[in-house]
Amino acid sequence: MIDGDAKHRVLKDVFGFAGFRAGQEEVVDALLSGQDTLAVMPTGAGKSLCFQLPALLRGGMAIVVSPLIALMQDQVAALKLAGVAADAIHSGKDRAANVAVWRRAAAGRLVLLYLSPERLMTPRMLEALTRREIALIAVDEAHCISQWGPSFRPEYAALSGLRERFPGVPIAGVTATADVATRADICDRLLASGAALFVSGFDRPNIHLAAAPKTRPTAQLLAFLERRRGESGIVYYLSRRGTEKVAGLLRDNGFPAVAYHAGMEAAARAECQDRFVTESGLVMAATVAFGMGIDKPDIRFVFHYDLPAGIEAYYQEIGRAGRDGAPAEALMIYGMDDIAKRRAFIEETGAEDARKRRDHARLDALLSYCEAASCRRRALLAYFGEAAADCGNCDVCRDPAPLVEATEDARAAISAVLGTRQIYGSQHIVDILRGKATDRVARAGHDRLPMFGAGAGLAPEEWRGILRQLVAAGHLRIDVGGYRGLEATATGRALLAPGGSFRRRVDRRPARPAGPAPARPGADARDAADAGLFDALKQLRLGLARERGVPAFLIFSDRTLEDLARRRPTTREDFAGVHGVGAAKLRDFAGPFLAEITRHSGEGRRP
Ligand code: ADP
């Protein structure tokens, strides 16, 4: 049995941390006791440590399955810097390099071996591994195994053979995204029955949440970015071509920006990712192809130009912001067209009906989130089964939208839909209600309907808002099989009967900014005297990272540099006490960092 001292010793000596974060120790303990485990923890919570630490303590070699080369490279580089014998076999390396890694694994000289699912599941590899002592098998981004999930990967499906193949070896699934359905699916496919399940706080309280109707999207985007010049962030766009257009537009407006989508050459994609991770203040205009495996802690915003696929996808996408814990912001703009497009996508997948139903349900959940009349965070967390109080850090909490009585408006809208045979989209319905005699209205004779002009008192955006809210509430539905027209549902028709009642949210016009731009990470934690040293340490870190060809934050996090700038250690002993400094980093980096601190203090900055 491994005692608690051993755990804490490894935590400090290898990783340089004084304690576990919430949720980590339970997972570590379950794996140490040999139990299959599913750990669902939000991005940035420290999932990798949950399987890396038991790997170091259990004896034998741990296998880590990861869907992306970039993810493997970052984790392996971080482990090597911490002095851990880790390496990876994947298609991004040449054969000789992969063979060399395998030789070390076969000789028992590796503690962690990272593999892509394709490499792991070859008969030869499985055969070779079953002859070795395996400490544990960790499946990173485990939701990729779920065929229900938004990011199913066919290569992951084969992993369901692992449980039988490695009896007695604990398997860990780790993921940041899994609603109840996905969790059950991962357990079914990957783990023994009765596996331990740990779900820890889904809340990312530092991310400000907001959503607004799409009125003038380009202007909305530019206004949002204007207050965030110099910060890194992602603009998610639905179409590939759109990402290029947006990147161009941003550059024309003085924002450094690049586009990223799955249609680009692999080399160009890798270059974009590299730039985004290493440069600061770059805006990435991307499709959802971008994001998984991006380990950049200081992404300050995620702007959804188009509606995500569903609430789970949305949570995953915004979760890339603010991993360093400093304030970050998520804004989504959406309109009826987005909803229709998403519905049509689901129908066009050709998936089985059960899958389509589930995807529609995820989209429904996102729409009610969009139209939420009370705290958005509460709505989001409720979807993942977590209860919460009002957060005070979303647009609804900060500036609640009033709810007003709107039963007659809802009836007029539903009557207009029914009176036009349920084949028209929202624009036409709004034209009828507002009494606008467009060619289309005149040709169809809709200017003779009793509802024509009945809603002239409300502005077109207000009517669009009412229609969206009726869709979000399930009173209207978009017929994606036919002409994408609006249809009244049974509950919608029921609203027409006596006793029916509907209240609507009055949208703020125009969408008001979310308050002052968030402060820069750690800005208030450093006083002016430290700032100079902090910048010098950052420069030093960048140089060391370049020499080693790794991203700077793998050498030391900003938090470690802040700690150094504040505490100004002068001895190796003091240096060892700093957050993030383990034995290997003490050995490799104490020299240059102590020298820099001494040099800086010698310039008269010593307090
Ligand atoms: P996830 O995979 O959950 O998104 P990571 O495993 O990449 O998160 O960890 C996020 C950051 O948190 C990393 O920089 C990691 O070094 C740091 N971290 C992990 N565990 C701890 C801990 N116990 N104390 C302090 N920092 C930690």
Side-chain angles (χ1 to χ4, degrees):
M1 193 60 215
I2 290 141
D3 60 39
D5 282 357
K7 271 187 317 198
H8 284 93
R9 213 168 37 241
V10 172
L11 187 62
K12 176 61 197 161
D13 283 359
V14 177
F15 299 97
F17 302 140
F20 285 104
R21 284 205 187 138
Q24 287 180 321
E25 194 166 9
E26 296 89 318
V27 181
V28 167
D29 286 342
L31 286 172
L32 285 177
S33 73
Q35 237 193 325
D36 276 11
T37 302
L38 176 61
V40 186
M41 299 165 94
T43 308
K47 284 186 288 300
S48 354
L49 187 123
C50 293
F51 57 82
Q52 290 169 347
L53 195 142
L56 284 158
L57 284 169
R58 268 182 68 87
M61 178 175 75
I63 299 166
V64 185
V65 183
S66 179
L68 289 182
I69 295 175
L71 273 175
M72 293 191 222
Q73 281 171 334
D74 275 356
Q75 289 200 18
V76 167
L79 285 165
K80 283 182 173 168
L81 286 170
V84 177
D87 223 318
I89 294 181
H90 56 66
S91 58
K93 287 179 170 179
D94 63 28
R95 207 184 118 70
N98 279 330
V99 169
V101 173
W102 175 250
R103 291 229 170 90
R104 289 176 60 218
R109 297 217 307 274
L110 284 186
V111 179
L112 288 116
L113 175 62
Y114 281 72
L115 291 168
S116 58
E118 312 76 295
R119 294 277 168 157
L120 169 60
M121 297 315 286
T122 61
R124 263 185 73 192
M125 179 60 86
L126 289 170
E127 177 60 30
L129 288 172
T130 37
R131 276 186 270 118
R132 310 216 51 78
E133 188 192 352
I134 303 298
L136 61 90
I137 301 173
V139 178
D140 207 354
E141 310 286 347
H143 58 279
C144 295
I145 202 174
S146 172
Q147 285 166 23
W148 304 113
S151 25
F152 172 62
R153 298 196 152 224
E155 322 83 81
Y156 261 59
L159 298 176
S160 56
L162 284 175
R163 184 56 291 159
E164 208 168 305
R165 186 84 199 206
F166 293 92
V169 176
I171 300 183
V174 296
T175 175
T177 23
D179 55 19
V180 176
T182 309
R183 281 172 217 165
D185 207 24
I186 299 173
C187 287
D188 267 5
R189 291 169 196 268
L190 192 65
L191 309 176
S193 59
L197 169 66
F198 298 101
V199 182
S200 58
F202 267 87
D203 193 11
R204 301 284 310 281
N206 60 317
I207 303 180
H208 177 274
L209 305 172
K214 196 185 270 187
T215 46
R216 294 162 56 226
T218 313
Q220 285 173 291
L221 172 63
L222 289 175
F224 177 86
L225 290 181
E226 200 47 61
R227 297 181 303 123
R228 291 173 183 75
R229 275 192 189 274
E231 297 184 348
S232 305
I234 308 174
V235 178
Y236 277 118
Y237 207 93
L238 195 56
S239 74
R240 294 175 177 184
R241 233 187 11 208
T243 61
E244 277 157 18
K245 246 176 43 199
V246 166
L249 171 90
L250 293 182
R251 284 193 297 265
D252 291 346
N253 283 275
F255 296 97
V258 285
Y260 182 104
H261 56 74
M264 287 160 54
E265 300 259 326
R269 281 206 321 253
E271 192 193 314
C272 275
Q273 279 202 11
D274 272 4
R275 272 193 66 190
F276 185 64
V277 171
T278 35
E279 281 176 35
S280 50
L282 191 63
V283 181
M284 183 62 100
T287 63
V288 290
F290 178 77
M292 192 174 15
I294 297 303
D295 189 3
K296 184 175 169 62
D298 58 349
I299 296 174
R300 294 268 69 84
F301 61 84
V302 171
F303 184 100
H304 277 97
Y305 200 102
D306 293 306
L307 193 69
I311 195 140
E312 217 189 359
Y314 171 72
Y315 178 79
Q316 192 174 22
E317 286 152 25
I318 62 168
R320 289 167 186 143
R323 291 176 65 160
D324 54 9
E329 207 161 332
L331 174 61
M332 163 169 50
I333 56 174
Y334 64 97
M336 193 69 93
D337 284 351
D338 291 284
I339 306 173
K341 252 188 243 167
R342 283 296 181 188
R343 292 261 183 251
F345 276 4
I346 297 173
E347 285 306 314
E348 286 156 13
T349 52
E352 43 184 313
D353 284 353
R355 158 91 203 235
K356 285 186 192 164
R357 269 201 304 280
R358 210 177 280 199
D359 286 347
H360 282 302
R362 286 188 173 121
L363 183 55
D364 291 342
L366 182 63
L367 298 183
S368 27
Y369 169 87
C370 287
E371 299 295 350
S374 58
C375 176
R376 281 194 207 280
R377 196 172 312 270
R378 247 177 50 206
L380 188 60
L381 293 174
Y383 179 79
F384 291 104
E386 238 176 78
D390 284 0
C391 73
N393 193 25
C394 69
D395 53 350
V396 184
C397 278
R398 283 198 190 176
D399 187 10
L403 276 180
V404 298
E405 161 56 36
T407 310
E408 285 315 315
D409 297 336
R411 285 177 174 156
I414 291 168
S415 305
V417 166
L418 288 169
T420 54
R421 294 182 295 134
Q422 312 194 81
I423 53 173
Y424 292 92
S426 60
Q427 187 54 52
H428 190 72
I429 302 294
V430 172
D431 287 341
I432 293 171
L433 290 164
R434 300 254 315 134
K436 193 169 166 199
T438 62
D439 286 351
R440 208 159 170 230
V441 167
R443 247 183 295 131
H446 290 161
D447 45 358
R448 296 193 299 273
L449 289 171
M451 284 75 66
F452 184 75
L458 292 181
E461 303 94 88
E462 290 177 290
W463 277 115
R464 276 194 285 274
I466 292 171
L467 290 173
R468 269 196 331 267
Q469 291 177 45
L470 287 169
V471 169
H475 300 317
L476 289 177
R477 167 174 70 212
I478 299 168
D479 167 32
V480 285
Y483 297 98
R484 298 196 188 178
L486 290 169
E487 292 176 342
T489 63
T491 64
R493 288 167 193 263
L495 273 187
L496 300 176
S501 141
F502 184 76
R503 285 154 69 80
R504 77 176 172 99
R505 208 181 95 119
V506 183
D507 285 318
R508 290 163 291 258
R509 258 181 316 143
R512 216 182 284 170
R520 301 203 70 77
D524 47 11
R526 296 192 295 271
D527 64 25
D530 295 338
L533 176 55
F534 179 77
D535 288 340
L537 296 177
K538 252 174 118 166
Q539 275 307 315
L540 174 60
R541 174 178 71 175
L542 188 62
L544 292 167
R546 291 223 170 107
E547 274 169 28
R548 286 165 176 75
V550 297
F553 59 84
L554 287 188
I555 303 273
F556 281 135
S557 67
D558 277 5
R559 171 147 174 228
T560 299
L561 297 193
E562 273 162 28
D563 229 20
L564 286 171
R566 215 173 14 243
R567 291 162 64 161
R568 299 177 176 238
T570 49
T571 63
R572 293 175 67 83
E573 211 175 12
D574 292 346
F575 196 87
V578 170
H579 170 89
V581 180
K585 290 193 180 172
L586 177 67
R587 182 192 63 215
D588 296 341
F589 303 128
F593 279 93
L594 285 173
E596 185 62 39
I597 292 166
T598 311
R599 201 180 62 77
H600 211 83
S601 304
E603 283 167 8
R605 300 209 143 269
R606 190 154 197 155

